[in-house]
Amino acid sequence: MQSPTISRHLVFTGNPGTGKTTVARLVCGIYAALGLLAKGHLIEVDRSELVAGYLGQTAVKTSEVVRSALAGVLFIDEAYGLAPDHDRADFGSEAIEVLLKRMEDHRHRLVVIVAGYPRLMEQFLLSNPGLRSRFAREITFPDYSVGELEQIFGGMLAQNEYLLEPDGQQMLHRILTGLRAREDSGNARFARTLFEQALNRQALRLSQDPTRSLDSLDRDDVMALTADDIARAAG
């Protein structure tokens, strides 16, 4: 039996920090390992790399980007930025038209993944009658729970050989619980930033401790993050 060419284009919807870009890279590697893509490379772009400022240039610019992604995955982050704004002259619709044609013409050797906020991506998919039908699946990336964010933070601690003191763990839970209630939580991106800032705060604390010199610090001192380190990092 002949094997039909099935569309593998995907829509990823979710808030920032939910892993859309990471999963796009994993999908790229999986498709390459299965032999569905000859190269399996990922080309990551946004509106600025597809849309030009003058009439006729956008089609050329978008076509060049698509050509560079052939035999791999074209990942368009914040793809809703291509949807035309009716309040001003915009060439985003031209980029969408070119994408639609190339997605169909090269469906056997190109995968396009578009990603962005759920509500704005819905507007994007409705901006052109043929857009939604080009994508095989729409995958939603939910926000991380407090427990999952704690696991992500703990993974960073373990990977970098740091330890969080018991009161620091309680402080982390309080901060992440308060964060989870916000729409702009940042998810895993916030957890990473919090970890990096906690390291900065720890370094500042140790360097400014009047009771001891840096030469007297041992491994346990340098590995430990306190509740105050976490609280100041969150601030």
Side-chain angles (χ1 to χ4, degrees):
M1 295 176 64
Q2 279 198 333
S3 177
T5 302
I6 300 172
S7 173
R8 301 182 183 91
H9 308 307
L10 301 168
V11 178
F12 288 175
T13 62
N15 291 321
T18 49
K20 298 185 295 296
T21 303
T22 299
V23 173
R25 291 169 182 154
L26 292 171
V27 167
C28 184
I30 291 169
Y31 282 175
L34 292 173
L36 302 176
L37 296 173
K39 294 182 180 178
H41 62 299
L42 181 79
I43 301 295
E44 185 178 343
V45 298
D46 57 18
R47 173 191 163 89
S48 65
E49 291 160 285
L50 297 172
V51 179
Y54 299 97
L55 184 66
Q57 290 183 339
T58 294
V60 175
K61 195 173 184 180
T62 302
S63 295
E64 289 176 350
V65 170
V66 171
R67 193 177 301 114
S68 70
L70 291 178
V73 173
L74 175 61
F75 179 71
I76 307 175
D77 197 16
E78 299 181 351
Y80 48 78
L82 297 175
D85 186 340
H86 299 295
D87 295 332
R88 59 184 172 86
D90 191 275
F91 301 115
S93 57
E94 186 179 354
I96 292 175
E97 292 291 344
V98 173
L99 273 173
L100 286 174
K101 187 173 189 316
R102 299 294 184 268
M103 287 167 68
E104 187 63 27
D105 292 347
H106 304 297
R107 60 186 304 192
H108 60 294
R109 59 191 186 119
L110 173 70
V111 173
V112 175
I113 301 177
V114 293
Y117 294 96
R119 179 177 56 81
L120 295 175
M121 287 302 293
E122 180 65 22
Q123 296 176 8
F124 166 70
L125 293 171
L126 294 174
S127 66
N128 186 294
L131 196 51
R132 177 165 253 138
S133 63
R134 289 293 194 280
F135 294 94
R137 288 174 179 80
E138 299 176 24
I139 301 173
T140 300
F141 288 68
D143 290 338
Y144 288 108
S145 67
V146 173
E148 288 169 337
L149 289 173
E150 288 180 309
Q151 289 181 39
I152 291 170
F153 193 92
M156 295 176 187
L157 288 171
Q159 183 179 0
N160 295 278
E161 299 183 61
Y162 282 89
L163 296 173
L164 188 59
E165 295 183 352
D167 58 344
Q169 188 65 51
Q170 295 173 8
M171 177 61 69
L172 176 66
H173 183 79
R174 285 173 52 194
I175 290 169
L176 294 178
T177 300
L179 173 80
R180 188 65 178 78
R182 295 173 48 178
E183 291 185 1
D184 59 340
S185 68
N187 287 284
R189 194 173 300 167
F190 176 85
R192 182 183 63 195
T193 302
L194 183 65
F195 173 73
E196 293 172 351
Q197 289 300 321
L199 299 188
N200 291 336
R201 291 298 176 178
Q202 182 224 42
L204 193 62
R205 170 174 58 81
L206 294 175
S207 65
Q208 295 180 345
D209 187 347
T211 64
R212 61 195 309 179
S213 66
L214 292 178
D215 293 337
S216 67
L217 295 176
D218 58 25
R219 182 178 177 84
D220 291 340
D221 294 323
V222 178
M223 289 174 63
L225 295 178
T226 67
D228 188 61
D229 294 333
I230 301 296
R232 290 178 178 274

